[in-house]
Amino acid sequence: AKYILQVVGDTEVTAKDTTTTSKKEVKDTNDTTGVTSDWQNTADYDIGDAVPFKLTGTVASDYADYPAPYYFAFHDKYVKTQLGDPQNVVVIDPSKYTLNVTSDGFDVVFNDLKQTAAQAGSTVTVEYTSELLAGANVGSAGNVNTSNIEFSNDSNNDQHRGKTLDDTVI
């Protein structure tokens, strides 16, 4: 903890009300009408189609209390026989992140988010497409993939990190 308190009587404690959050979404394009949906949790594509995805992270409200470097990384996981590697990746501050393709997905890593325009409560967004490959599940089983964010969570030690819950799209 950043502070040590001595409680000598009744006191009121205010809980931390916001933390880093993450969300993963996909767009759907109707094959018949050509109309593309807004961002949502499920989509229907054909083998060979480029599937658009969006990862969104909200920076914690106490972000200013953390010294640099502030670690912030999107971890996107999927089955490599179902989806291809990310293409057309767009991130808020292209010069300040690293894209690492892994054996089970990819990571967008900000080794120091404080070197970007991000502020407390601001949104960091990653958009990309992935090709739906021949190994993809066809039908209602779908192709599940998840994302989460790993972030600095101890203002006294930049090596301590937390993780958001996984968010899943099909």
Side-chain angles (χ1 to χ4, degrees):
K2 191 172 184 179
Y3 305 100
I4 296 175
L5 302 174
Q6 179 180 12
V7 179
V8 293
D10 290 343
T11 187
E12 186 174 317
V13 177
T14 304
K16 181 177 173 181
D17 60 352
T18 64
T19 188
T20 300
T21 62
S22 67
K23 185 160 188 67
K24 180 170 185 168
E25 298 172 293
V26 61
K27 283 189 176 184
D28 187 32
T29 301
N30 184 300
D31 287 341
T32 305
T33 65
V35 174
T36 300
S37 72
D38 201 2
W39 296 105
Q40 56 191 33
N41 292 324
T42 62
D44 180 18
Y45 282 92
D46 297 323
I47 302 299
D49 286 349
V51 182
F53 292 98
K54 179 169 85 169
L55 310 175
T56 305
T58 303
V59 179
S61 63
D62 62 348
Y63 175 71
D65 294 341
Y66 288 80
Y70 186 90
Y71 186 84
F72 194 91
F74 291 90
H75 300 297
D76 199 73
K77 306 294 180 210
Y78 51 88
V79 178
K80 290 285 191 138
T81 57
Q82 297 173 345
L83 285 172
D85 287 335
Q87 303 295 315
N88 309 311
V89 177
V90 177
V91 183
I92 60 160
D93 192 345
S95 65
K96 305 297 183 191
Y97 75 92
T98 304
L99 175 68
N100 302 317
V101 176
T102 65
S103 63
D104 61 349
F106 72 96
D107 303 323
V108 173
V109 178
F110 295 87
N111 284 311
D112 187 3
L113 191 65
K114 292 194 177 255
Q115 297 298 312
T116 71
Q119 299 292 320
S122 67
T123 301
V124 180
T125 304
V126 176
E127 291 186 20
Y128 69 96
T129 59
S130 286
E131 180 183 354
L132 190 62
L133 301 176
N137 293 324
V138 177
S140 62
N143 302 282
V144 177
N145 54 81
T146 62
S147 178
N148 64 54
I149 296 174
E150 182 182 4
F151 58 97
S152 293
N153 73 343
D154 183 341
S155 59
N156 295 312
N157 184 334
D158 65 7
Q159 298 302 306
H160 288 194
R161 297 183 181 149
K163 185 179 115 178
T164 63
L165 296 174
D166 287 346
D167 195 35
T168 301
V169 298
I170 300 173

